[in-house]
Amino acid sequence: MPLDPSFAGRTYPLTEPYQVGREKIREFALAVSASDRAHFDAAAARAAGHPDLVAPPTFPIVLSTAAGQAIIDDPTLGLDFSRVVHGDQRFSYTRPIYAGDELRCVCTVEEIMSRVGNDFLTMRTDVTDADGAPVVSVWTRLVARGE
């Protein structure tokens, strides 16, 4: 069943706050082999001009994946996740993510298109801080392979 193209432009509710902790940053940095000391050592981060540990550039995938689950799980969209492969990922930062940040996400279906029997779903996740100020936008493209 093809994806419903009328979902383009649909926005899902704001997520609950996500507390960015030092250990979460350290664990993620280790997992992606990030070696900058500012991900592990608060003194090194402050020496580099940051208020606390700074998250690696791809850290928002933790939040955007969880937030995007609302789209993926929406039964009316028609997405068969067993047929999905990851197509693309990109990030556009307003500012870095730091330990101590409280972040929330809003996910929007930005585009749905079909090509050669495959459906392409582009989701945008806008991440904001506790004051509602933008931090980063994350675009994820999923490809639902045709049968």
Side-chain angles (χ1 to χ4, degrees), residues 19-76:
Q19 301 294 325
V20 179
R22 287 180 174 172
E23 283 310 305
K24 292 292 185 186
I25 290 174
R26 289 180 182 120
E27 290 167 354
F28 188 86
L30 283 171
V32 299
S33 299
S35 59
D36 190 318
R37 295 303 309 153
H39 303 314
F40 300 96
D41 182 338
R46 283 190 291 280
H50 302 291
D52 207 321
L53 295 186
V54 61
T58 55
F59 184 84
I61 194 70
V62 173
L63 291 87
S64 66
T65 298
Q69 202 63 45
I71 295 172
I72 291 166
D73 291 344
D74 189 330
T76 59

Side-chain angles (χ1 to χ4, degrees), residues 65-120:
T65 298
Q69 202 63 45
I71 295 172
I72 291 166
D73 291 344
D74 189 330
T76 59
L77 174 61
L79 182 66
D80 177 357
F81 199 73
S82 72
R83 304 197 60 79
V84 169
V85 294
H86 187 263
D88 189 32
Q89 193 79 49
R90 69 185 167 94
F91 305 86
S92 179
Y93 273 90
T94 303
R95 70 159 178 87
I97 294 175
Y98 299 112
D101 278 342
E102 181 179 283
L103 303 175
R104 296 182 85 176
C105 302
V106 170
C107 284
T108 300
V109 175
E110 199 161 84
E111 180 181 47
I112 294 176
M113 64 179 163
S114 293
R115 288 189 199 152
V116 196
N118 298 310
D119 289 329
F120 294 77

